[in-house]
Amino acid sequence: MTHNPAGWHIEVEFTEDDRHTRAAALLRLADGTEVRGHGHASRHRADPRQPRVGEEVAGARALNELAMRLLDKAHGEIDQAAGRVSHPIHV
């Protein structure tokens, strides 16, 4: 059995204003499907402006949503191949 190394590249884009940061994460899989996740962070007006921190929070939330959607996709594929409903995949 030969093993072909695989890798994924995830794109994360940010949009920001003075108080809000939004992140959109995209993963393109070898089967041609795309999995997406979105995240948001808000800065309290009394807090100092730290764009990097907003990106980290919004990015982490987007990646978390992407991970959950990827688990759901895998679960659906397991069920389809098995012809039955299996136990959910937990993190």
Side-chain angles (χ1 to χ4, degrees):
M1 177 170 101
T2 59
H3 176 71
N4 293 324
W8 292 345
H9 294 276
I10 299 170
E11 298 173 26
V12 183
E13 293 183 353
F14 299 98
T15 56
E16 300 174 87
D17 60 30
D18 285 341
R19 295 206 30 228
H20 304 278
T21 303
R22 289 178 176 74
L26 170 65
L27 169 63
R28 289 185 182 93
L29 297 171
D31 67 2
T33 60
E34 293 182 347
V35 182
R36 296 174 185 267
H38 296 88
H40 178 260
S42 296
R43 178 181 64 85
H44 188 277
R45 64 182 155 268
D47 292 338
R49 191 169 188 279
Q50 295 179 286
R52 184 180 50 84
V53 173
E55 289 173 358
E56 290 169 353
V57 172
R61 290 175 174 162
L63 291 171
N64 186 59
E65 183 178 271
L66 186 149
M68 298 309 294
R69 290 184 180 198
L70 190 57
L71 283 172
D72 287 345
K73 179 182 183 309
H75 184 248
E77 291 172 1
I78 290 167
D79 286 356
Q80 184 177 20
R84 63 180 173 80
V85 176
S86 61
H87 293 285
I89 301 171
H90 297 287
V91 178

